[in-house]
Amino acid sequence: MVKEVIGKFLNEINSAKNFSFLLVIATTDVSLIPGLTIAGATPELTHFTPAADAEFLMLGKCKVINTVPVTPDGIPTPALISRASLSFLKISKTIVNAGSKITPNLPFIDLGGKPGGDIRKQSLDKSTAEKIIQNGIILGDELSNSYDLLVIGESIPAGTTTAMAVLEALGYNAIDKMSSASPNNPKELKSKIVKEALKDLPTSLIDKLAKVSDPMLLGVAGISIGFKGKILLAGGTQMCAAAAIIKEIENTKIHDIGIGTTKWIINDKTADIISLAKDLGVNLLYSDLDFSISKYEGIRVYEKGYVKEGVGAGGSSILAMLKANINNKDLVDKIDSMYSELLIR
Amino acid sequence: MVKEVIGKFLNEINSAKNFSFLLVIATTDVSLIPGLTIAGATPELTHFTPAADAEFLMLGKCKVINTVPVTPDGIPTPALISRASLSFLKISKTIVNAGSKITPNLPFIDLGGKPGGDIRKQSLDKSTAEKIIQNGIILGDELSNSYDLLVIGESIPAGTTTAMAVLEALGYNAIDKMSSASPNNPKELKSKIVKEALKDLPTSLIDKLAKVSDPMLLGVAGISIGFKGKILLAGGTQMCAAAAIIKEIENTKIHDIGIGTTKWIINDKTADIISLAKDLGVNLLYSDLDFSISKYEGIRVYEKGYVKEGVGAGGSSILAMLKANINNKDLVDKIDSMYSELLIR
């Protein structure tokens, strides 16, 4: 079931005729900071996660690593939810590389970006930041000829930290509102890193973004600005940062945008996506998933706050529920079946 | 007006509902051989031509070079015809890089290929050749979710020479049948290069292709094999080589394919696309363009056999005539208007 929190974006999705799914991937060196992210079995492996997520989403198997990305506890990537959801639909999926240390072994669109550095020093040079946005705009504009709705997911380890920095840099109060893939949100560490990153913040928008943004957020913002239809930003609190960049560059565009996420993000007591979305004036909706009925512990632990969102899981499940009329049980059965295939290998 | 030479592919285009245009670009070192190609003002500049063609097609201006690609005589790229044709349609254009020395400054899909070498030595290593085909198949398969017709153009200097080598390597008689962008087809030079390239030809298909094929042909073949709908190969005699590779890998696929070209290729007395298409059993059609009514000498010279085809000019004009109901005059007026803007700059 899909539930609406802010706005009327359900109508927009229901009336869309031609839709497509984009996964924007990137890495930064922020994910190498120990204790910050569980989007990979070790900090070093986090650089492989976006490419592996892209491969699993498209092909059902990973090439850059032997298994699907897992947390240090072995909990599988939310790409499983996205692949299962999209399997109910006739939809084309496109991988967009905004700047990744490791690139996937499949055809992908390149925005000409670079991996981000450590935001405590400098994430990107200004010309790269501009290029990612500009190429995103060209791509979004071109996709307008084929689609009236884009669903845009992301995969970038430590992305909630860079997103927090972007929101703060753009004047929002985000320090206490960002989710985490871990049930133990490392909020103190995140806020320490962000505060250090925001010291000596430059004044112009592009300089601010080059300093603290990750490449994914710039790519998602560019594509959304260039696209002429409606956009479902498929992600959690990170997508509030993408929405903030969009609003900064083209204020009225915010009305064409909805953030589509999962129940676990909405219910995350360590964060507050609803307050962020209200501050932005952006539509917000979520899929009311219940993984307690799964056969597998690795899936049931989502109910305990593990992983929560990512690789467009929320938006994909929203799309499948609205466009293929599936319910929670259909989806969990499909996820269980895909997961069982992974366990056999 | 669109005319059918072999088969009934006009019906297929007419009944297609969702179509998209792909431009597959690549370079090889064959274009550096003096006297072989006029797809660039000098042999060295030919390596910039595919990227510049891609930029002009998408953006209406070039970034990797200052002007649009021209022949040594200053005759502009056929990308002008393609951009003018596609401007009449609501169609998304995608650049696919199969292996180019210079890449365009815009978002493009990368097949993970490499630029080709000199086919007298070795064009590609085997694993790169395989990768281009495999990634092409993944891309084509994915595009099947959005489209029922793909129009695939190409830009690769000296591409008729590598195409000649591929056709001969696959057992076709092509030495006397390949067109040229020049009215003075350098047939002796081409055939000398091809004969040298075919010495000590390996026996397996993939080894043959790695030895003499350019990356573009492999990319086009892969995409076509993976795609589930109909494919209009938008090009001249080169596309016969793409069709030959497709047929070799998946024999029955040839019935889903049409080669869409221009009057100038069909009428080229130095070549014989009709005989090649008959040997392949592939559908063949062309747009009966007449550029004698253009205001500009640079456009009128197409009637003297200059350029003839490229960047999907034939297929794009076929599509515009069938799907937007435009005639020759509409198209020439649009080309003239775009050309005049180039002259002003």
Side-chain angles (χ1 to χ4, degrees):
Chain A
M1 203 178 152
V2 179
K3 293 190 176 171
E4 208 146 28
V5 185
I6 301 173
K8 292 202 184 313
F9 209 74
L10 245 165
N11 287 341
E12 305 289 2
I13 302 175
N14 279 326
S15 62
K17 287 196 177 68
N18 299 299
F19 40 89
S20 190
F21 182 88
L22 269 62
L23 179 71
V24 181
I25 61 170
T27 58
T28 66
D29 288 344
V30 178
S31 72
L32 300 179
I33 301 169
L36 197 61
T37 176
I38 61 164
T42 68
E44 288 65 36
L45 277 174
T46 59
H47 275 176
F48 289 81
T49 296
D53 276 342
E55 291 169 348
F56 182 75
L57 181 76
M58 297 290 281
L59 312 172
K61 63 183 174 191
C62 299
K63 293 176 174 179
V64 293
I65 52 175
N66 285 332
T67 62
V68 297
V70 292
T71 68
D73 294 332
I75 302 165
T77 168
L80 204 57
I81 307 176
S82 310
R83 184 170 168 84
S85 297
L86 298 177
S87 75
F88 291 100
L89 298 162
K90 187 170 159 67
I91 185 170
S92 76
K93 306 178 285 288
T94 305
I95 306 302
V96 180
N97 178 33
S100 303
K101 266 274 167 67
I102 309 290
T103 55
N105 285 314
L106 46 74
F108 59 83
I109 294 184
D110 205 297
L111 294 184
K114 286 177 193 163
D118 185 329
I119 60 172
R120 292 173 298 186
K121 292 170 189 159
Q122 180 78 24
S123 178
L124 296 161
D125 60 88
K126 186 178 170 178
S127 70
T128 301
E130 278 171 341
K131 192 174 182 183
I132 297 170
I133 296 172
Q134 287 306 323
N135 276 339
I137 291 173
I138 295 172
L139 174 61
D141 182 46
E142 199 56 47
L143 292 171
S144 308
N145 290 311
S146 288
Y147 306 109
D148 53 3
L149 171 71
L150 287 188
V151 181
I152 312 182
E154 56 66 39
S155 175
I156 176 167
T160 52
T161 304
T162 40
M164 185 194 281
V166 166
L167 282 164
E168 288 281 334
L170 299 182
Y172 296 86
N173 176 2
I175 290 280
D176 274 322
K177 299 181 182 172
M178 304 304 282
S179 281
S180 163
S182 167
N184 305 306
N185 196 342
K187 291 172 80 167
E188 278 190 32
L189 179 58
K190 279 188 193 177
S191 109
K192 187 169 162 258
I193 292 163
V194 168
K195 279 172 186 164
E196 203 175 324
L198 294 174
K199 272 184 198 163
D200 309 317
L201 193 70
T203 50
S204 85
L205 175 65
I206 191 69
D207 285 324
K208 280 180 189 168
L209 295 175
K211 173 81 171 70
V212 302
S213 178
D214 62 58
M216 179 281 289
L217 291 171
L218 303 179
V220 171
I223 295 166
S224 303
I225 291 162
F227 188 67
K228 297 189 181 79
K230 304 296 174 184
I231 299 124
L232 183 67
L233 297 178
T237 47
Q238 280 169 272
M239 286 304 187
C240 294
I245 299 172
I246 294 164
K247 197 172 173 181
E248 207 69 30
I249 297 175
E250 196 181 322
N251 193 277
T252 57
K253 192 80 200 176
I254 200 81
H255 306 301
D256 296 325
I257 287 166
I259 294 179
T261 192
T262 63
K263 176 190 80 175
W264 306 297
I265 293 290
I266 299 287
N267 292 347
D268 184 357
K269 290 195 172 59
T270 74
D272 194 348
I273 193 172
I274 296 175
S275 138
L276 281 171
K278 276 184 185 156
D279 287 351
L280 285 156
V282 69
N283 302 292
L284 176 65
L285 62 175
Y286 69 97
S287 59
D288 196 14
L289 301 171
D290 176 5
F291 281 6
S292 67
I293 60 169
S294 169
K295 288 179 200 153
Y296 299 101
E297 178 64 13
I299 305 298
R300 287 196 299 268
V301 290
Y302 273 75
E303 294 297 329
K304 292 181 184 160
Y306 282 90
V307 186
K308 297 186 190 75
E309 171 63 284
V311 198
S316 307
S317 54
I318 288 172
L319 201 68
M321 286 172 172
L322 295 178
K323 294 294 190 187
N325 261 314
I326 62 152
N327 61 28
N328 181 69
K329 185 172 183 310
D330 301 327
L331 181 56
V332 174
D333 285 349
K334 179 68 81 175
I335 292 168
D336 278 0
S337 139
M338 284 186 178
Y339 190 51
S340 73
E341 282 173 40
L342 292 178
L343 296 175
I344 291 163
R345 275 179 211 165
Chain B
M1 204 180 149
V2 179
K3 293 190 175 171
E4 207 146 28
V5 184
I6 301 173
K8 292 201 184 313
F9 208 75
L10 244 166
N11 287 341
E12 306 289 3
I13 302 174
N14 278 327
S15 62
K17 288 197 176 71
N18 298 299
F19 39 91
S20 189
F21 182 88
L22 268 62
L23 178 71
V24 181
I25 62 170
T27 58
T28 66
D29 287 344
V30 178
S31 72
L32 299 179
I33 301 170
L36 197 60
T37 177
I38 60 165
T42 67
E44 287 65 36
L45 278 175
T46 60
H47 276 175
F48 289 81
T49 297
D53 276 342
E55 290 170 347
F56 182 74
L57 182 77
M58 297 290 282
L59 312 173
K61 62 183 175 190
C62 299
K63 293 178 176 179
V64 292
I65 52 176
N66 284 332
T67 62
V68 296
V70 292
T71 69
D73 296 331
I75 302 164
T77 169
L80 205 55
I81 307 177
S82 310
R83 184 169 167 86
S85 298
L86 298 177
S87 76
F88 291 100
L89 298 161
K90 187 171 158 68
I91 185 171
S92 76
K93 306 180 284 287
T94 305
I95 306 301
V96 180
N97 178 33
S100 303
K101 268 273 166 69
I102 309 289
T103 53
N105 285 314
L106 44 75
F108 59 83
I109 293 184
D110 206 297
L111 294 183
K114 287 177 192 162
D118 185 330
I119 60 171
R120 292 173 298 186
K121 291 172 189 156
Q122 181 77 26
S123 179
L124 296 161
D125 61 88
K126 186 178 168 178
S127 71
T128 301
E130 278 171 340
K131 191 174 182 182
I132 298 170
I133 296 173
Q134 287 306 323
N135 275 339
I137 291 174
I138 295 171
L139 174 61
D141 182 46
E142 199 56 47
L143 292 171
S144 307
N145 290 312
S146 289
Y147 308 108
D148 53 3
L149 172 70
L150 287 188
V151 181
I152 311 182
E154 55 69 37
S155 176
I156 174 166
T160 53
T161 304
T162 40
M164 185 193 280
V166 166
L167 282 164
E168 287 282 334
L170 298 182
Y172 297 86
N173 177 2
I175 290 281
D176 275 321
K177 299 181 182 172
M178 304 305 283
S179 281
S180 163
S182 167
N184 305 306
N185 194 341
K187 292 172 77 165
E188 279 189 32
L189 178 58
K190 277 188 193 178
S191 110
K192 186 166 165 262
I193 292 163
V194 168
K195 278 172 185 162
E196 205 175 321
L198 294 174
K199 272 183 197 166
D200 309 316
L201 193 70
T203 50
S204 84
L205 175 66
I206 191 70
D207 285 324
K208 281 180 188 169
L209 294 174
K211 173 81 171 70
V212 302
S213 178
D214 61 58
M216 179 281 290
L217 291 172
L218 304 179
V220 171
I223 295 165
S224 303
I225 291 163
F227 188 67
K228 297 189 181 78
K230 305 294 174 184
I231 300 123
L232 183 66
L233 297 178
T237 48
Q238 280 169 273
M239 285 304 187
C240 294
I245 299 172
I246 294 164
K247 197 173 173 181
E248 207 70 30
I249 297 175
E250 197 181 323
N251 193 277
T252 56
K253 192 80 199 175
I254 200 82
H255 307 301
D256 295 326
I257 287 166
I259 294 179
T261 191
T262 64
K263 176 190 81 175
W264 306 297
I265 293 289
I266 299 288
N267 292 347
D268 184 357
K269 289 194 173 59
T270 74
D272 194 347
I273 194 173
I274 297 175
S275 136
L276 281 172
K278 276 185 185 155
D279 288 351
L280 285 157
V282 69
N283 303 292
L284 176 65
L285 62 174
Y286 69 97
S287 59
D288 197 15
L289 301 170
D290 176 5
F291 282 6
S292 67
I293 61 170
S294 169
K295 289 179 198 154
Y296 299 102
E297 177 64 12
I299 305 298
R300 286 196 300 267
V301 291
Y302 273 75
E303 293 297 329
K304 292 179 182 159
Y306 282 90
V307 187
K308 297 187 189 74
E309 171 63 283
V311 198
S316 307
S317 54
I318 288 172
L319 201 69
M321 286 172 171
L322 295 178
K323 293 295 190 186
N325 262 316
I326 63 151
N327 62 28
N328 182 70
K329 185 170 182 308
D330 300 327
L331 181 55
V332 175
D333 284 350
K334 179 69 80 175
I335 292 168
D336 279 0
S337 139
M338 285 186 178
Y339 190 49
S340 74
E341 281 173 40
L342 291 179
L343 296 175
I344 292 163
R345 272 179 214 169

